[in-house]
Amino acid sequence: MNPQAILASVAVLGGVGLTFGTLIAIANKKLFVWEDPRIDELTDILPGANCGACGFAGCRAFAEAAIDGAVAPAGCTVMGEAELEDVAAMLGVAAGEADKVVARLLCAGGTDVAPRKALYDGIESCAAAVAVSGGGKACAWGCVGLADCAVACTFDAIRMNEADLPVVIPDRCTACNDCVEACPLDLFVLLPMDHKLIVQCRNLLEGDAATDVCAVACNACGRCAQDAPEVVRMSDGLAVVDYDRIELADPTAAARCPTGAIRWVEGAQRFEVELTAAGSLTG
Amino acid sequence: MLGSSTFRHGVHPPESKHLTEKVRVRRMPFPDEIVLPLRQHAGKPARLLVKAGDRVERGDKVAEADGFVSVPIHASAAGTVKDIRLCPHPDGSMAESVVIAVDRFSPQVPRPRIVPRWEGLSPKQVVEEVQKAGVVGLGGAAFPTHVKLLPPDDMPVHTLIINGAECEPYLTTDHRTMVEYPARVQFGIRIMMKALGVDKAVIGVEKNKPDAISRLQDTLPDDLDVSVLPLTVKYPQGAEKMLIKVVTGREVPSGKLPMHVGVVVQNVGSIACIGEIFETGYPLIERIVTVTGPGVRRPSNLLVPVGTRLRDVLEFCEGVTDEATQIVFGGPMMGAAQPDLDTPLIKGTTGVVVLTKDQARSVERYPCIHCGRCLEACPVFLNPSLLGTQAQAGRYDEMEAANLMDCMLCGCCSYVCPSHIPLSQMFALGKNMLRKRKAAA
């Protein structure tokens, strides 16, 4: 081995390393962008679920907005109260109050009240079942019950009950929108908890045609629209709640509903069939 | 003739055509009620023209074409519009439909021609009349026929291929059309060749229909270059791209149309329909449907008014047996199971197959054993095994990269899979998801 060759290669590599090192050092000074160290700190405290329920692109984007004061810490619906106080203390602002928003199911037709008209024997997925002849439920708009939403839920907030209907556990739901996107029949909506008047049906049929396929379908009788004309109106065979005027609503709107399609919902949506022991509402 | 008489890959399901292949087409009497969904064709649904209480004669328009890729819908019997309401649709949804209470015993009065005679019409006028008569592909996909008759200027068409393969098991709709109405088929070919300006037409027929082949050969015109090409019996021989490969020796490139290789393919039923409308002057209001399968008491080939309910059709065939468990619209390979007896038969319904417990039984599914049979069955040379794995993981983008969009859902992979994996359904789901994402983007 030639010692000169060793020296030469060490010198060349060392020289290259030194040159680039210097360049990087200069670039680091010249192109330096100051970033609030609190962004990293805050990102660490946030849940890190990157669920997007706050409306920002992820937890880091939310942290930046919170430090800018564009959003109150309570805008993150996933955080527990303890973390919320930590964040508020760290930023020196009030935690603020966010309306609790949860996913609501616009169907109450479990297998106990809404019969199937055909057997579905295929991939265990609502999207796949709906793609072939509607999935076999007599009501073409109703929940297929194969749990695409429960699978999509990151927070384990959706459990299937004994009638194959998904039940949302409000304490866990962060309104991240995943179930809304997963449902092939668009049966989920995000609603603030204080919007208590809910039409749990999307069946467009009227009268007996509707109740023939599901005992709890909206049969478009119009009683709710009569009792609460300022909040509920009838449209295309379905009662529609005007949520811009929800503060005018009270339980009387749902009192005379013959099928129970429109409900005054306090807390969780409870369907006639309770959850199995494995999925109690307190979870 | 170029090429061999078949394509590579494919499967050989039992043909089961013996039930109806020798049975003459019977005309079904008008039912009491007719249900005409506004969406019976690929493209935009037709726009409603009538309201409840209106009187309609047989052949009257009840809905008009909404744009270019759309066709009108005509009343298939005289009567009164009873209601416009949501009715079960063969695709499993509830669709807006015109319900007509049909006149009982009332004579079908003669009326002036709705479709004019074709002599003296320019090719452009012929195409217009085809749209006005509501003609769609009768092979199942129900794509508006006039759209195929207007190839863009940069894609010259040199050959018209008539698809009489009828490779789906059980169905004999096209078979009986060729045997009983060969003159109508030849007349339709003549009109189509003029409309398209082509001088060559080839009728492809699978060799298991020798009577159809000889009837067509006996009626070939002297003044036009029309020939009959007997094809090897194999599924899916009647798929557009497979047929083009056999007849011209050319492969339609991925994502392209038959027009890109200078070809237009029409189902033989659609051709006969075009012959019929210019012959009788009536628009498309009835079609031939095979009602068959071991679960139906009297398997038949019927001439059915469009919009007749499944219930009435089965009743006319003396009902179903106690063993019947599943009713499929179309053939058993690609057809859709029907959950409702009130579903109407529409323009694109090629057959009604009633299957029994033995055939429609539920089977245990097992994991993929990577035997590769699906690869050897796939007529478009995809890798169903890989696509199935991607579908189970919900990786639809990767499926697209693996050419999912070339899949025509023929069902060969599901048919040969020893583990009974519902591959075809997974691909239908994947294609659905990709289309949905494209629409949202």
Side-chain angles (χ1 to χ4, degrees):
Chain A
M1 184 56 84
N2 185 349
Q4 269 191 332
I6 296 176
L7 275 179
S9 45
V10 168
V12 168
L13 283 177
V16 168
L18 211 63
T19 318
F20 282 112
T22 318
L23 280 176
I24 290 172
I26 293 167
N28 191 28
K29 286 272 176 254
K30 288 266 178 207
L31 305 174
F32 180 75
V33 178
W34 186 84
E35 194 179 50
D36 195 331
R38 290 179 301 169
I39 294 176
D40 280 333
E41 260 176 69
L42 186 51
T43 311
D44 285 342
I45 302 175
L46 290 172
N50 287 322
C51 64
C54 53
F56 293 93
C59 292
R60 194 181 167 83
F62 176 80
E64 284 170 19
I67 286 164
D68 286 348
V71 60
C76 173
T77 51
V78 184
M79 267 192 293
E81 270 175 39
E83 287 105 335
L84 197 58
E85 272 165 30
D86 283 354
V87 174
M90 182 191 138
L91 297 176
V93 296
E97 255 180 55
D99 287 343
K100 172 80 176 164
V101 177
V102 290
R104 297 294 199 183
L105 183 67
L106 300 187
C107 174
T111 46
D112 53 329
V113 285
R116 292 186 182 280
K117 61 180 172 182
L119 274 173
Y120 168 72
D121 179 30
I123 309 169
E124 288 276 312
S125 145
C126 310
V130 168
V132 290
S133 303
K137 205 144 186 180
C139 171
W141 296 268
C143 173
V144 183
L146 293 171
D148 275 10
C149 50
V151 172
C153 183
T154 325
F155 299 98
D156 197 17
I158 300 181
R159 303 283 175 85
M160 302 305 288
N161 73 7
E162 280 173 346
D164 287 337
L165 216 51
V167 177
V168 179
I169 303 165
D171 286 349
R172 293 190 177 183
C173 177
T174 65
C176 69
N177 213 42
D178 280 355
C179 52
V180 179
E181 281 168 22
C183 182
L185 292 166
D186 298 329
L187 289 176
F188 275 106
V189 286
L190 301 180
L191 281 181
M193 284 288 273
D194 56 3
H195 290 191
K196 291 176 181 166
L197 190 64
I198 301 173
V199 181
Q200 301 184 135
C201 183
R202 295 203 54 193
N203 185 323
L204 301 182
L205 295 172
E206 299 181 10
D208 289 348
T211 45
D212 281 351
V213 293
C214 175
V216 294
C218 170
N219 64 356
C221 67
R223 284 177 206 171
C224 49
Q226 260 175 16
D227 293 350
E230 57 288 337
V231 195
V232 186
R233 72 192 154 81
M234 301 305 295
S235 160
D236 268 346
L238 207 53
V240 178
V241 177
D242 181 0
Y243 284 112
D244 290 340
R245 313 170 70 177
I246 189 70
E247 64 282 356
L248 301 174
D250 60 52
T252 54
R256 282 206 299 144
C257 179
T259 62
I262 185 165
R263 286 287 177 91
W264 186 259
V265 180
E266 303 268 4
Q269 281 175 294
R270 284 171 185 274
F271 303 110
E272 303 309 324
V273 174
E274 283 301 315
L275 281 174
T276 50
S280 72
L281 276 177
T282 46
Chain B
M1 195 52 56
L2 287 164
S4 64
S5 71
T6 191
F7 59 99
R8 286 177 63 204
H9 290 186
V11 295
H12 293 276
E15 292 166 35
S16 309
K17 293 187 190 261
H18 59 279
L19 289 170
T20 51
E21 65 186 349
K22 299 265 186 289
V23 182
R24 281 194 72 85
V25 174
R26 285 190 293 159
R27 176 178 283 280
M28 188 178 153
F30 291 116
D32 296 338
E33 233 176 61
I34 281 200
V35 178
L36 296 167
L38 298 182
R39 178 161 48 80
Q40 295 194 28
H41 46 261
K44 262 184 119 178
R47 206 166 342 136
L48 189 67
L49 288 178
V50 292
K51 57 184 188 308
D54 283 0
R55 162 99 216 139
V56 286
E57 289 300 331
R58 185 161 177 263
D60 279 356
K61 238 198 259 183
V62 295
E64 63 183 357
D66 188 5
F68 178 59
V69 189
S70 182
V71 291
I73 288 160
H74 303 83
S76 48
T80 317
V81 177
K82 196 171 158 189
D83 207 355
I84 313 290
R85 63 162 187 260
L86 295 166
C87 291
H89 188 278
D91 71 4
S93 65
M94 298 288 279
E96 194 178 20
S97 313
V98 179
V99 182
I100 298 172
V102 179
D103 291 353
R104 284 229 103 176
F105 310 117
S106 80
Q108 299 288 324
V109 287
R111 56 178 300 166
R113 291 178 71 95
I114 298 165
V115 184
R117 295 194 182 280
W118 84 293
E119 293 91 344
L121 293 185
S122 69
K124 203 168 160 248
Q125 284 169 318
V126 170
V127 175
E128 271 171 25
E129 291 302 332
V130 167
Q131 180 181 17
K132 276 200 242 161
V135 180
V136 299
L138 296 186
F143 189 77
T145 298
H146 67 274
V147 180
K148 282 197 198 172
L149 291 180
L150 288 173
D153 292 336
D154 56 335
M155 279 184 241
V157 172
H158 53 71
T159 308
L160 169 67
I161 299 178
I162 294 97
N163 186 353
E166 196 158 54
C167 56
E168 272 272 4
Y170 286 106
L171 303 186
T172 55
T173 309
D174 295 344
H175 184 177
R176 290 314 298 179
T177 305
M178 291 184 281
V179 171
E180 294 185 39
Y181 306 100
R184 209 168 255 179
V185 173
Q186 305 292 6
F187 183 42
I189 292 174
R190 185 175 290 273
I191 296 168
M192 290 286 276
M193 285 175 82
K194 186 187 171 188
L196 279 167
V198 298
D199 44 19
K200 186 175 170 206
V202 181
I203 315 173
V205 187
E206 275 191 358
K207 283 175 191 158
N208 60 356
K209 305 182 237 312
D211 47 347
I213 294 174
S214 70
R215 290 281 279 165
L216 288 174
Q217 259 157 356
D218 293 346
T219 50
L220 287 180
D222 302 329
D223 55 334
L224 292 173
D225 178 11
V226 183
S227 57
V228 182
L229 177 66
L231 307 167
T232 304
V233 181
K234 185 156 84 172
Y235 181 86
Q237 184 65 71
E240 204 165 55
K241 294 188 176 179
M242 307 300 110
L243 193 62
I244 294 171
K245 179 82 174 46
V246 175
V247 175
T248 66
R250 294 190 65 179
E251 213 168 273
V252 181
S254 168
K256 301 277 198 239
L257 296 170
M259 284 173 192
H260 286 89
V261 293
V263 170
V264 166
V265 182
Q266 287 286 356
N267 170 265
V268 72
S270 321
I271 292 276
C273 174
I274 287 174
E276 189 183 354
I277 60 167
F278 285 105
E279 188 184 310
T280 62
Y282 272 105
L284 170 55
I285 50 175
E286 54 190 18
R287 65 156 298 150
I288 299 174
V289 176
T290 304
V291 185
T292 182
V296 70
R297 284 191 207 277
R298 185 177 172 189
S300 315
N301 295 299
L302 300 179
L303 190 57
V304 177
V306 170
T308 306
R309 286 192 174 130
L310 176 57
R311 186 186 299 281
D312 297 322
V313 171
L314 290 175
E315 203 170 293
F316 185 63
C317 295
E318 295 170 19
V320 296
T321 64
D322 298 337
E323 311 280 81
T325 47
Q326 189 179 34
I327 302 175
V328 178
F329 273 13
M333 294 297 283
M334 286 188 72
Q338 295 302 317
D340 203 317
L341 285 175
D342 286 325
T343 311
L345 275 68
I346 58 175
K347 289 178 184 176
T349 310
T350 49
V352 177
V353 183
V354 185
L355 300 173
T356 56
K357 276 182 210 143
D358 298 342
Q359 295 147 319
R361 66 185 191 281
S362 170
V363 285
E364 181 97 13
R365 294 189 193 99
Y366 299 96
C368 174
I369 56 168
H370 301 281
C371 63
R373 283 196 216 171
C374 48
L375 278 98
E376 274 166 32
C378 181
V380 286
F381 289 75
L382 300 180
N383 181 346
S385 170
L386 170 73
L387 285 166
T389 316
Q390 290 165 336
Q392 264 163 348
R395 299 188 173 176
Y396 302 116
D397 296 326
E398 286 175 35
M399 288 177 86
E400 192 176 19
N403 296 315
L404 174 68
M405 283 323 204
D406 284 341
C407 172
M408 54 191 174
L409 304 174
C410 66
C412 288
C413 48
S414 306
Y415 180 77
V416 295
C417 181
S419 291
H420 306 300
I421 300 169
L423 291 163
S424 209
Q425 193 194 359
M426 290 176 173
F427 305 156
L429 174 64
K431 288 177 90 168
N432 242 355
M433 288 295 194
L434 287 171
R435 261 195 297 265
K436 225 185 204 174
R437 276 189 204 175
K438 290 238 165 69

